[in-house]
Amino acid sequence: ELKGNINHSVCQWCYNFITLEELCIAVKEIGFNAIDLIAPKDWPMLQKYGIYSSMCYHAGEVSLTKGFNDKTYHPQLIKDYTEAIPLVAKEGYKNLICFSGNRNGMDDETGLKNCVEGLQQILPLAEKNGVIIQMELLNSKVDHKDYMCDKTAWGVELCKRTGSPNFKLLYDIYHMQIDEGDVIRTIQDNHQYIGHYHTAGVPGRHEIDEAQELYYPAIMKAILATGFKDYVAQEFIPVKEDKLQSLKEAVFLCDV
């Protein structure tokens, strides 16, 4: 049985070779009860199985490349999030993902200012509804070329400037290992700004086993030591023959 110290989750897109219902059944059989990156249309399926939507997508067009760092997209983003925040709260969920967008030649300071300007138009509503807007840290070296929120320090500065307890970082361990490394120290030093974690093996984004360079039990212990109470979601792309067994092994490896 799972120890109950870590709240486990899994990202649905990594298991899109089976139906969401089949994934719900597998999750329950392994022994945890949350799935990440689920849009409102699929919440009823999770609810059917008593599974929590641990990181929600908003109902609009989510884009990693066209985000809050570009004022051009603010009107649509503000509309989408203004509609989504009450929906998330109504269903009893609290985490809603967002993205910085790509640089497209923009300097970091301008990107920060633009993100603050856009986010401050939705954060009062998020605070009122108890919803946490979480910006994901992604690597710009391998997977998401030109993405702006690609360093923890930039994301932390954005958290400080928004001045809201309802804006946090989704710290993706895989992405940050690629772009900056020093994962455990970074988590220890910045945990108050982190609201969610994703996993995957480096390199390759596959199973978090002995074939890759990160030692997840130590990372999980470091996360636990910060007093973190929210969710850690598996976001690796399984390549072994028994892909659901890979998920089970990953969850138990992280269950410190």
Side-chain angles (χ1 to χ4, degrees), residues 140-192:
S140 59
K141 182 179 178 182
V142 176
D143 298 287
H144 301 285
K145 303 284 187 180
D146 203 42
Y147 185 72
M148 182 165 273
C149 188
D150 62 346
K151 297 289 190 296
T152 306
W154 189 92
V156 166
E157 180 61 23
L158 180 56
C159 288
K160 291 176 179 177
R161 292 194 191 188
T162 64
S164 173
N166 288 63
F167 179 76
K168 291 189 179 293
L169 301 175
L170 194 173
Y171 186 91
D172 189 304
I173 298 162
Y174 159 80
H175 285 298
M176 290 300 94
Q177 171 68 0
I178 289 171
D179 259 15
E180 59 188 26
D182 204 13
V183 168
I184 289 178
R185 192 200 317 267
T186 302
I187 289 168
Q188 290 170 335
D189 290 349
N190 301 285
H191 64 90
Q192 64 269 43

Side-chain angles (χ1 to χ4, degrees), residues 60-74:
E61 290 295 319
V62 177
S63 173
L64 280 67
T65 60
K66 299 174 180 178
F68 279 97
N69 69 342
D70 191 331
K71 292 184 184 181
T72 306
Y73 308 118
H74 282 185

Side-chain angles (χ1 to χ4, degrees), residues 6-11 36 54-55 95 134 136-137 169-174 183-184 186-200 216 219-220 222-224 226-235:
I6 298 284
N7 289 316
H8 299 282
S9 181
V10 59
C11 294
D36 251 33
S54 44
M55 181 59 68
N95 295 322
Q134 309 229 20
E136 185 162 15
L137 291 153
L169 301 175
L170 194 173
Y171 186 91
D172 189 304
I173 298 162
Y174 159 80
V183 168
I184 289 178
T186 302
I187 289 168
Q188 290 170 335
D189 290 349
N190 301 285
H191 64 90
Q192 64 269 43
Y193 304 107
I194 298 171
H196 202 80
Y197 290 93
H198 280 170
T199 77
Y216 272 95
I219 296 170
M220 291 302 123
I223 290 170
L224 204 57
T226 68
F228 183 73
K229 300 293 185 187
D230 217 282
Y231 285 84
V232 175
Q234 302 294 334
E235 199 184 21

Side-chain angles (χ1 to χ4, degrees), residues 23-107:
L23 182 60
C24 287
I25 293 167
V27 160
K28 296 297 283 189
E29 287 178 349
I30 293 170
F32 65 103
N33 70 334
I35 299 178
D36 251 33
L37 304 177
I38 298 293
K41 67 180 179 63
D42 289 322
W43 292 344
M45 180 60 72
L46 267 60
Q47 291 160 357
K48 176 182 175 181
Y49 288 91
I51 292 173
Y52 186 72
S53 179
S54 44
M55 181 59 68
C56 301
Y57 263 122
H58 66 64
E61 290 295 319
V62 177
S63 173
L64 280 67
T65 60
K66 299 174 180 178
F68 279 97
N69 69 342
D70 191 331
K71 292 184 184 181
T72 306
Y73 308 118
H74 282 185
Q76 186 62 49
L77 286 166
I78 291 160
K79 177 180 178 291
D80 288 344
Y81 280 87
T82 300
E83 291 172 357
I85 288 166
L87 281 178
V88 171
K90 182 183 176 185
E91 298 301 323
Y93 306 138
K94 70 173 187 176
N95 295 322
L96 184 57
I97 199 168
C98 77
F99 302 98
S100 66
N102 282 5
R103 288 188 172 86
N104 295 315
M106 183 183 295
D107 64 274

